[in-house]
């Protein structure tokens, strides 16, 4: 597998935000979201075998009562690599709770059922609208989450309509609306969390506001956290 980094941090997003987690970040992505905060994972990385990845995860997660039980496979886009389902299988077999964070452009049905899938639907102002594989609506279930990263009122209106039209709240554990965090280097602007919250409340939507916790704890530009 082509690996950008493996590290231990806290889960920054979704319903498990705040929990200790080991992250396996795979290299490469076929999309180019304008606000992508992991562009450093587009290229490079190191070639590692499945066993080497498992060994790194075991080393970071530790043993016994202090063992970190949560592992997230992320990227880049992790479903571009053919060995990803096998890695997920091995992690599950080793007793970890396994999450995957994916753009929604690839079919998540290739993954073992027990993997918790965090699936994006790209909004218009991401620059990658209409990339969502609609077959994913049938491949997600009660333990999974669907996420919209929102940078404008136009994105919000799209996310609201998609959520309602496809009955997302009944399909997954949680629908998440997450505001774009402003780029520390100024390449893109963010959306105010307060503004997004007010829109959600005004519409009474059955969604959860998602903030990227790690960006409030560490420098927002920091890698490996
Ligand atoms: S899908 Fe994810 S990794 Fe790929 S460009 Fe978009 S935000 Fe970045």
């Amino acid at each position: 597998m082509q690996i950008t980094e493996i590290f231990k941090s806290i889960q920054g997003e979704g319903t498990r935000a705040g929990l200790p987690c080991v992250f396996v970040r795979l290299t490469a992505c076929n999309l180019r979201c304008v606000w992508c905060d992991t562009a450093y994972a587009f290229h490079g990385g190191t070639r590692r075998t499945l066993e080497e990845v498992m060994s790194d995860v075991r080393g970071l997660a530790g043993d016994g009562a202090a063992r970190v039980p949560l592992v997230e496979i992320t990227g880049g886009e992790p479903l571009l690599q053919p060995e990803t389902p096998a890695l997920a299988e091995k992690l599950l077999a080793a007793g970890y709770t396994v999450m995957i964070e994916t753009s929604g452009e690839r079919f998540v049905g290739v993954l073992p059922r027990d993997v918790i899938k965090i699936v994006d639907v790209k909004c218009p102002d991401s620059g990658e609208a209409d990339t969502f594989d609609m077959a994913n609506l049938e491949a997600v279930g009660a333990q999974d989450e669907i996420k919209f990263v929102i940078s404008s009122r136009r994105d919000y209106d799209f996310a609201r309509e998609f959520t309602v039209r496809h009955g997302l709240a009944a399909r997954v554990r949680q629908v998440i609306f997450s505001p774009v965090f402003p780029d520390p280097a100024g390449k893109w602007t963010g959306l105010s969390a307060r503004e997004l919250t007010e829109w959600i409340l005004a519409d009474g939507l059955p969604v959860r506001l998602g903030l990227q916790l790690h960006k409030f704890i560490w420098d927002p530009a920091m890698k490996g956290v």
Side-chain angles (χ1 to χ4, degrees), residues 47-117:
R47 193 88 207 142
R48 311 290 302 278
T49 65
L50 277 180
E51 263 323 313
E52 287 169 340
V53 174
M54 289 297 298
S55 166
D56 280 10
V57 169
R58 273 194 299 270
L60 287 166
D63 286 319
R67 185 196 204 216
V68 173
L70 187 63
V71 178
E72 176 172 299
I73 305 171
T74 187
E77 173 46 60
L79 288 176
L80 293 180
Q81 300 200 31
E83 290 156 298
T84 296
L87 173 62
E89 196 70 71
K90 274 185 180 291
L91 289 166
L92 287 168
Y96 296 105
T97 299
V98 181
M99 305 172 65
I100 192 162
E101 174 98 24
T102 172
S103 71
E105 190 265 349
R106 299 272 132 176
F107 182 54
V108 299
V110 299
L111 291 161
R113 198 170 47 96
D114 289 342
V115 172
I116 298 165
K117 299 154 193 91

Side-chain angles (χ1 to χ4, degrees), residues 120-216:
D120 276 21
V121 181
K122 298 298 180 190
C123 295
D125 289 339
S126 69
E128 292 291 0
D130 302 322
T131 52
F132 184 72
D133 181 351
M134 295 301 283
N136 281 332
L137 288 181
E138 306 305 327
V140 292
Q143 64 179 358
D144 302 324
E145 302 176 15
I146 291 183
K147 184 175 74 172
F148 298 86
V149 179
I150 295 172
S151 65
S152 63
R153 179 71 203 199
R154 181 166 81 133
D155 280 357
Y156 172 79
D157 289 340
F158 165 84
R160 179 189 58 196
E161 205 204 308
F162 194 101
T163 298
V164 172
R165 180 161 19 106
H166 298 292
L168 297 188
R171 289 180 188 270
V172 290
R173 170 173 167 158
Q174 189 70 66
V175 179
I176 295 168
F177 281 19
S178 187
V180 169
F181 197 92
D183 179 35
K187 284 192 204 136
W188 62 84
T189 55
L191 174 66
S192 144
R194 178 171 170 174
E195 201 165 17
L196 178 56
T197 303
E198 288 171 356
W199 294 341
I200 292 169
L201 291 174
D203 286 336
L205 287 185
V207 304
R208 179 188 292 234
L209 176 77
L211 299 177
Q212 294 174 294
L213 211 50
H214 49 291
K215 293 191 177 171
F216 294 85

Side-chain angles (χ1 to χ4, degrees), residues 28-39 41-42 75-77 102-103 120 122 128:
C29 186
N30 54 336
L31 303 188
R32 290 292 181 269
C33 304
V34 295
W35 37 254
C36 179
D37 58 2
T38 51
F42 289 166
E77 173 46 60
T102 172
S103 71
D120 276 21
K122 298 298 180 190
E128 292 291 0

Side-chain angles (χ1 to χ4, degrees), residues 18-30:
L19 295 176
C21 182
V22 174
F23 292 82
V24 179
R25 188 180 306 287
L26 305 195
T27 309
C29 186
N30 54 336

